[in-house]
Amino acid sequence: MDIPAVFAATMERLGPFEDQPLFAVAVSGGSDSLALTLLLADWVRHRQGHLVALTVDHGLRPQAAIEAQAVHDLLSTRGIEHHILTNHLPWSGGDIQNEARAVRYRLLNDWCVSAGCLHLVVAHHQDDQAETVLLRLARGSGAVGLSGMAEVSCRPDVRILRPLLAVSRQALRDWLSGQGVSWIEDPSNQNPSFARVQWRSLSPELAARGMSSARLAETAQRLARVRTLIERDVAACLARYVRLDRWGWAEVCRAGVLAQEEEIALRVLAAVLTTVGGQDYGPRADRLERLYDTLLAQGQGEHRQSLHGCVLSATATTILIAREARVPDFQCLPLNGDAIEWDGRFRIALDAGFAEACRLRAWEITVGRVFSPLPSLKDGVRDPDVLDKDEKSAWCAIPGIARPGLPALYEGKRLLAIPALGWRSHDVSGMGALVRLLRFQPRRTMAFVGFRLAARRGRII
């Protein structure tokens, strides 16, 4: 296989790109990402563009910083700009692989936003695609899940490109070896406690029985055609029967969605839950199907439950879906005006004047959830911080299940402002604008931008 030629043909298909394009590439130092970086550097150079390589140090292994520096040294000798992105946030101690992936994409996304870079290129290849299909098959995924990873995925701030999905891991390693380039082996890729590693160990036996990586990738290609049709109908249903509020909750027409074919209704519910919950991925199929069956069985009966980081409240006509707020989730806001992602849903940044006033007062401003109504709303007692008529009207216009998840500003445990209401405490009443940016910008949007996986016989699938 002529790897550079295959790569160039794929990149041309993923275009068109702007003149002198700027690309960011995620590179760990492993064979896959290193091969991608070198291929992309040559491709970009021929188009008078610019490539920036980004290595994420998750802070999970002491050797990671040394490995990142080794990648920096290698790429610097080849004239490739390189930056190391370090995670400084604490780990929750849950699913470490999923959390590491979320950290990685957060850091990569933030760099792209700050640099004005539209294209983030990642090194998922044919074997990764096969493993994804197997993992999702084991979880009972349907046609959408089994279509695997797309060549192009659009997020709110960046376009993620996967130009190596038709190339195997071994082909990339053979090409690197031919270039005289060595790579770093990440020990986590051999950790048998991870599901991907377990499936990888079975690949020789599966290939012997006809389930090679290439065959599984072909299956994903065919199912991508089915996925395209499903997503078209889902998008139409979302546009007609779902209203997404700017404060992060959704109102779903119960009868309209449940009247759809089951697969469409399930995908609509999954899309809303993923967006409102600020999640990277949709809910498990079995849990989603139980919700759907319950809603159907109850007819127009009321129903309330939690699912996928959301709380749902169904009436005879409407299903309200809002972010669940069970525990405090406070995050410090930079006093230099930088924007952060909060709760997987909002982009928020302080106003420069307010930030300077906070510095003078030695305040540390955090953003968190409202959790409960203000005491004055609960018991009717009037004090200096009671909501005025307009603020109370805004509060009542927001469904009860959505109020606890609203973003709010705090100084310590002191509630300073609830932007959704235009409410602020007297502590900040004379301090001008508090935020310069507060926008609902979830990790996954409900609308699809089109699913394109690969080309076969010169056609785009």
Side-chain angles (χ1 to χ4, degrees), residues 156-412:
D157 296 310
V158 69
R159 185 171 177 253
I160 299 175
L161 308 179
R162 299 180 179 89
L164 297 180
L165 288 179
V167 185
S168 70
R169 179 186 291 111
Q170 190 57 53
L172 293 171
R173 292 187 171 188
D174 291 343
W175 181 80
L176 271 184
S177 297
Q179 304 296 309
V181 178
S182 59
W183 56 87
I184 298 168
E185 294 287 358
D186 185 343
S188 66
N189 290 331
Q190 306 300 323
N191 188 338
S193 64
F194 294 144
R196 275 192 181 271
V197 177
Q198 295 168 13
W199 280 109
R200 197 171 302 154
S201 68
L202 296 174
S203 59
E205 181 179 349
L206 292 172
R209 296 177 180 274
M211 294 178 64
S212 64
S213 293
R215 182 62 58 83
L216 289 167
E218 287 176 3
T219 298
Q221 289 176 356
R222 295 186 177 101
L223 286 171
R225 286 173 262 177
V226 178
R227 177 173 182 166
T228 300
L229 296 175
I230 291 173
E231 289 185 347
R232 181 193 63 190
D233 291 345
V234 168
C237 187
L238 285 166
R240 185 171 184 180
Y241 295 118
V242 178
R243 183 179 75 85
L244 184 63
D245 189 84
R246 69 189 183 103
W247 292 112
W249 55 275
E251 184 178 32
V252 179
C253 174
R254 181 172 182 167
V257 170
L258 295 183
Q260 307 300 309
E261 293 290 337
E262 181 176 352
E263 183 65 23
I264 304 304
L266 288 169
R267 291 296 114 202
V268 168
L269 292 172
V272 179
L273 288 165
T274 304
T275 297
V276 172
Q279 306 291 333
D280 285 304
Y281 300 97
R284 288 174 59 102
D286 55 345
R287 296 173 183 172
L288 189 65
E289 288 165 355
R290 283 199 295 270
L291 168 65
Y292 174 79
D293 291 342
T294 299
L295 292 172
L296 277 183
Q298 290 183 338
Q300 294 185 334
E302 295 186 1
H303 177 70
R304 187 173 179 126
Q305 77 170 78
S306 297
L307 179 62
H308 206 51
C310 298
V311 58
L312 300 87
S313 179
T315 66
T317 59
T318 303
I319 305 171
L320 295 176
I321 302 178
R323 181 71 161 89
E324 190 173 26
R326 292 182 294 182
V327 295
D329 183 16
F330 298 102
Q331 190 171 339
C332 286
L333 285 167
L335 296 183
N336 62 2
D338 286 349
I340 65 167
E341 178 196 80
W342 174 75
D343 204 25
R345 302 180 297 152
F346 288 91
R347 297 284 296 179
I348 181 169
L350 293 177
D351 179 78
F354 178 62
E356 181 59 28
C358 292
R359 286 194 199 94
L360 296 175
R361 300 185 185 197
W363 280 3
E364 182 179 79
I365 305 301
T366 60
V367 58
R369 303 190 186 110
V370 174
F371 280 96
S372 59
L374 297 176
S376 56
L377 282 177
K378 185 177 180 181
D379 54 30
V381 177
R382 188 157 185 86
D383 60 45
D385 283 338
V386 171
L387 300 183
D388 64 25
K389 182 179 179 181
D390 290 340
E391 293 163 348
K392 190 165 185 177
S393 176
W395 179 268
C396 293
I398 296 173
I401 65 168
R403 295 171 191 164
L406 293 173
L409 298 184
Y410 292 84
E411 197 284 311

Side-chain angles (χ1 to χ4, degrees), residues 121-144:
V121 192
V122 296
H124 294 125
H125 48 69
Q126 188 181 80
D127 299 83
D128 292 324
Q129 184 76 296
E131 290 163 10
T132 298
V133 172
L134 289 171
L135 282 165
R136 293 180 179 178
L137 183 63
R139 294 172 186 156
S141 295
V144 171

